[in-house]
Amino acid sequence: EDDVQGELEPVPNDYKPMEDVSLVRKKKFPMPPITVEDATLCLDYLDHDFYVFRNADTKEINVVYRRAEGGVGLIEPEAQG
């Protein structure tokens, strides 16, 4: 399991920032709680690179995503405390 803890990679020397970072679209939609397994099925069915959902166990917003190495990753917020 990855445990990032806020560590950042150094910025590559050839990095070029985006010229336009304007927000061009905003969406709102209902987000009833679903399981991680169901979110993974939605990710596959919709054929997207990521899927944002409300986790049925934690009620938190999570993201499942396709990993470049294969498989699926899960991003969940760290507990506040």
Side-chain angles (χ1 to χ4, degrees):
E1 183 173 308
D2 293 334
D3 190 13
V4 176
Q5 297 186 3
E7 295 178 24
L8 300 176
E9 295 287 325
V11 176
N13 290 334
D14 62 346
Y15 170 74
K16 301 243 186 305
M18 293 187 296
E19 290 182 22
D20 183 5
V21 293
S22 303
L23 181 65
V24 295
R25 188 171 187 185
K26 182 177 176 180
K27 288 184 174 183
K28 289 186 179 185
F29 51 93
M31 196 174 288
I34 63 174
T35 65
V36 173
E37 292 77 17
D38 284 345
T40 303
L41 289 173
C42 291
L43 174 74
D44 188 49
Y45 177 75
L46 296 171
D47 195 30
H48 286 174
D49 293 330
F50 66 92
Y51 185 76
V52 179
F53 68 103
R54 185 175 306 279
N55 187 316
D57 292 332
T58 65
K59 306 301 184 257
E60 298 278 355
I61 300 299
N62 289 186
V63 178
V64 288
Y65 63 96
R66 296 182 193 279
R67 294 179 51 89
E69 306 83 16
V72 174
L74 172 66
I75 299 173
E76 48 191 356
E78 194 173 276
Q80 301 269 331

